[in-house]
């Protein structure tokens, strides 16, 4: 028996990500702002996973909003392919070979 399939679309690949709706994106950023902000305020830095370009952009935006909120710059850098570090001045990566005075 032959069956015709109409309006069939491929779903996202296994393990792939789907874009967030505008409301989901707003809530995700609000949670990151609160949770990451609390950790940064407590110890001066936080490491957070970011596997996709969208996740990295979201963290950059959160760092910018924290900077605006605190009036103090929150720096952000990629530690590797999967993690970003947000930190306040004085809590960033120390160079392996610091310059001599």
């Amino acid at each position: 028996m032959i069956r015709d399939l109409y309006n069939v679309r491929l779903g996202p690949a296994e393990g792939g990500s789907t874009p967030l709706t505008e409301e989901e994106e707003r809530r995700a950023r609000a949670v990151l702002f609160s949770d990451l902000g609390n950790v940064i305020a407590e110890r001066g830095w936080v490491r957070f996973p970011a596997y996709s370009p969208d996740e990295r952009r979201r963290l950059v935006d959160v760092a910018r909003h924290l900077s605006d909120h605190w009036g103090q710059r929150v720096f952000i850098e990629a530690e590797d392919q999967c993690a970003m570090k947000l930190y306040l001045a004085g809590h960033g990566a120390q160079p392996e070979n610091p310059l001599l005075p």
Side-chain angles (χ1 to χ4, degrees):
M1 174 191 299
I2 298 174
R3 295 185 183 188
D4 293 327
L5 300 175
Y6 297 101
N7 295 323
V8 175
R9 297 186 183 111
L10 292 175
E14 189 77 24
S17 64
T18 57
L20 298 178
T21 64
E22 189 175 314
E23 175 65 17
E24 290 169 333
E25 183 69 33
R26 187 188 61 73
R27 284 189 277 154
R29 289 173 190 246
V31 168
L32 288 172
F33 179 87
S34 174
D35 291 352
L36 298 181
N38 288 338
V39 175
I40 294 169
E42 183 179 305
R43 69 177 180 201
W45 64 275
V46 67
R47 182 177 297 118
F48 199 79
Y51 301 105
S52 71
D54 287 336
E55 291 172 336
R56 291 183 198 97
R57 279 190 286 272
R58 190 175 297 123
L59 288 175
V60 168
D61 191 52
V62 167
R64 184 174 42 241
H65 280 86
L66 285 169
S67 295
D68 294 344
H69 181 72
W70 289 336
Q72 180 178 1
R73 183 158 181 212
V74 175
F75 298 92
I76 185 165
E77 64 184 33
E79 288 200 314
D80 57 30
Q81 294 176 351
C82 302
M84 302 286 285
K85 181 176 181 180
L86 288 77
Y87 60 94
L88 298 173
H91 295 278
Q94 301 298 321
E96 289 183 26
N97 298 321
L99 299 175
L100 297 175

